[in-house]
Amino acid sequence: MNAPEDTQPAKVVPMIPRRSDGNERPGELMNSVRTIASRNLQGLIAMLFDNLDDALFDLAEKAASNALQVEYFDGMRELRKKRGLIERMFIDDIGKRLADLGAGRLRERRTLTENGAARGELSLVEDAELEESLAVSSMASKAEQRLARNLFALNERLAVLAGGLRFDNALGPLDPGALAQAFRLALRDLETGMRVKLIVYKLFDRYVMSGAEAMYEELNLNLAQAGVLPQIRQPAASRGGSGNSAVNMVTVNAVRGGGHTSSEDLAAQADLLTQLSSLLAARRAPGETSMGTALPAGSNYGAGYPTGNAMPLPGPAELLGALTLLQAEIARANLAARSANEALGEVRHVKADLLDQVSRISGQARARVSEADEDTIDLVSMLFEFILQDRNLPTEMQALLARLQIPYLKVAILDRRLFAQRAHPARRLLDTLADAAKGWSRESDPDLRLLGDVRAVVERLLQDFDDDIGVFERLLREFGAQLETHRKRAELTELRAAEAARGREKLEHARRSAANAVLDHLQNQNPPQLVRSLLTRPWANYLVLLLLRQGAASPEYRAALHFMDDLLWSFTPKPDAASRQRLHALLPELERSLRQGLATVALQEPDQNRLLEQLNALYRPLLGEAPAGPVANAADATRARQAAQDIETALPPALEPEPVIPLAVQPDSTEVEPVASSEALDAVRALKSGCWFEFNGDDGSRERAKLSWISPISGRYLFVNRRGLKVADKAAAQLAAEIESGRAVLLEEVPLFDRALDAIVERLRNAQAAPDPGGA
């Protein structure tokens, strides 16, 4: 088997004669590059290993076989044991590549195909090695395309430090391809299967390749400030669609959903941000720079640095200072009671307010910002416009969250990963606030506790947030703890509501089933009135208890049904001695079963005895025995009638023998069942517990409720508010009709930030497709 290309001695290609050591300045800068790169890469590789255990443990728990589970656990142990060695080898290899660059040498860019073809041995490459090579080259290729602008600037500056090296067919020491090759080399002694290795590569792509962009930006800024090509003209090919957009500077593949985002989610998020980047850049006509100002002839704006006598652009510190002043004004103002329209106007005016503030600070009559900063400002403005128009949020919460525009604009300037990382603390905090607000209403929060908690988070951000992004993580933990307390309390109430609904439905279903069973047995039968009362009242109740306790398939329930057959037969005419003999043998068993059932439904023993006496009196003629003698006098007749009435009174109320029907409408409901389309019914039947609705009353009232439970018996939908209290109980057809009429609105479950980005892309795309009113 051929060894992987990375395990062979590196092919070093001298590009120019080694430069003289007389100039100390490039050496100092190269040491600075090595220090910055090592610090960044050590942090990123540590993040990879910190998350690797969790990823492998989760996969082991979900493994489809014991062998696969053992493979994951063995891989976890092997990686723990060799973590230090892998990290050291990776950082050392990158250090050697930088040292080679300082000596005027670069490693040639190669592919697996070229290596194998050169020796005529491509066919001998094992499938596992080929799979590994493809994984490495694929992630490197994606990263190089995504980071082309930063890489171009960095390699140009590194070439200057190396005395004018050319990178035509060579791999830059910090290129994604170099990082991937160095990591592959560090893994060569790892004794795990290819399945585990590919997981490691996937996490390398997620954490190291994604986080490398911040390293490139820091290196470029450091070298530019040191005077190494402070103005770089990007190649024309890289201009189309990407521009200098802020979105193009975020770490697209650093997207994470709680640390377990699937590759499909990552790809979808990357595609979304790519579209957003292109659409933002497309707003500007060629030759136009920030704020719609045309570039003067001969102007050259390289990486945000002005040239000539052009007006200098404000740096991040100036923008943050201006934003901090605006933030202080908002914190002092009492804007909690403002309407959504007023808040929307203020959100749209932030850019103008910021430019006015920058003008006052800089003393310039007309301030302007770079394209990247303008895109960031516009993007955050569109985010908060979406919040103020989001149906998911009640109006009070919309106005409250809109006050966070300035703090989030500061975050976007400080950390460009905000729009790419789902796990970014600022993004998670906003999503958590919005999710909590989704179920809020004044009716469900009479003491306004949740509203106060959200307001406290907003006020603390406005008052405390300067440039420490860690405040978002702290507030997220505190607010999450408060929500957890509310959630546990609401869950108990919700559980009781669901249990009560479940109990009522089981009882109702059992009553109907028992009533219909009795009705079926009495059909075409004409027993004495006492027997009919016995079956429709105490015995029906006994059937209900058996259904609730043992179920319809239990031997006890089947025996109770068989008793009704025997009892009804016992009161049919007996024309011959054989049938009378059978009845005589059956009576003790009937009495035993009857006493057991009557005792179960709590009929007292004296009442049982009187009932059996009356039944025995009915049996005498059927057995061929002489009936009881005539009453001696009127007093005895009166006592006999009174005894019969006492027995009838002692029996429990009868169950109404109703037909078995689905509980689409409550039994006491007189409303006509609503009509809904089959599509709406299918959509309702596909609902899962946990989704939220807003119900709009005819009087204009609005109530937000969560679908808590769907009855497996009747198919009814139980809704509770955020405190777990029942607010509605609807049949499928009723809910479908309300959705179609707009009286019930399903609230979206996708996190706020994701929905906002989708809406912004759609808005920009529509604006781009709209005809130009000034055109011919």
Side-chain angles (χ1 to χ4, degrees), residues 230-231 233 295-302 304-313 364 368:
Q231 305 160 30
R233 183 187 296 274
L295 286 171
S299 292
N300 173 27
Y301 288 77
Y305 292 92
T307 60
N309 297 321
M311 185 186 304
L313 300 176
Q364 297 173 358
R368 51 190 293 279

Side-chain angles (χ1 to χ4, degrees), residues 406-419:
I406 298 298
Y408 273 80
L409 181 50
K410 290 172 70 174
V411 174
I413 292 172
L414 284 167
D415 187 355
R416 300 186 187 277
R417 292 171 294 181
L418 172 66
F419 286 94

Side-chain angles (χ1 to χ4, degrees), residues 15-45:
M15 306 297 289
I16 61 169
R18 184 168 180 172
R19 61 177 175 77
S20 169
D21 293 333
N23 187 353
E24 297 297 332
R25 179 64 172 163
E28 293 175 6
L29 291 176
M30 190 63 78
N31 286 336
S32 175
V33 168
R34 187 180 297 110
T35 300
I36 294 172
S38 296
R39 171 169 44 79
N40 278 273
L41 292 175
Q42 282 172 350
L44 295 172
I45 204 74

Side-chain angles (χ1 to χ4, degrees), residues 103-323:
R105 298 188 299 271
L106 285 172
R107 303 189 191 185
E108 191 177 82
R109 183 185 299 273
R110 295 163 298 166
T111 64
L112 174 67
T113 304
E114 290 169 351
N115 283 332
R119 296 185 299 271
E121 299 170 346
L122 183 59
S123 61
L124 300 179
V125 177
E126 288 189 351
D127 289 344
E129 183 180 338
L130 177 61
E131 192 173 8
E132 182 178 6
S133 296
L134 289 175
V136 171
S137 60
S138 174
M139 68 178 175
S141 177
K142 286 190 300 182
E144 286 177 354
Q145 292 177 18
R146 188 182 75 249
L147 305 171
R149 176 175 292 273
N150 279 325
L151 282 172
F152 174 80
L154 179 60
N155 285 335
E156 288 287 295
R157 290 176 171 122
L158 291 177
V160 171
L161 294 184
L165 275 177
R166 293 182 60 81
F167 284 68
D168 293 343
N169 192 37
L171 196 62
L174 295 174
D175 283 4
L179 302 182
Q181 287 183 6
F183 190 65
R184 183 178 184 182
L185 184 63
L187 294 183
R188 74 181 165 187
D189 294 328
L190 191 64
E191 297 176 3
T192 63
M194 184 50 61
R195 193 191 313 271
V196 173
K197 258 192 178 180
L198 291 178
I199 293 167
V200 177
Y201 283 128
K202 183 176 290 187
L203 293 182
F204 182 82
D205 188 22
R206 180 180 299 176
Y207 294 108
V208 180
M209 288 298 199
S210 300
E213 182 176 24
M215 175 183 72
Y216 296 146
E217 289 184 351
E218 183 178 353
L219 287 168
N220 274 316
L221 181 62
N222 184 272
L223 292 174
Q225 289 176 343
V228 181
L229 298 183
Q231 305 160 30
I232 291 182
R233 183 187 296 274
Q234 295 288 336
S238 68
R239 184 72 182 160
S242 60
N244 217 7
S245 169
V247 180
N248 215 35
M249 298 180 183
V250 297
T251 52
V252 172
N253 280 344
V255 182
R256 294 164 48 214
H260 302 285
T261 306
S262 67
S263 57
E264 291 81 4
D265 288 340
L266 292 172
Q269 187 77 350
D271 180 64
L272 177 69
L273 291 171
T274 300
Q275 293 181 56
L276 194 54
S277 172
S278 300
L279 290 167
L280 284 169
R283 297 180 307 164
R284 290 181 290 273
E288 188 177 89
T289 186
S290 61
M291 315 309 285
T293 305
L295 286 171
S299 292
N300 173 27
Y301 288 77
Y305 292 92
T307 60
N309 297 321
M311 185 186 304
L313 300 176
E318 294 173 278
L319 284 178
L320 290 173
L323 288 170

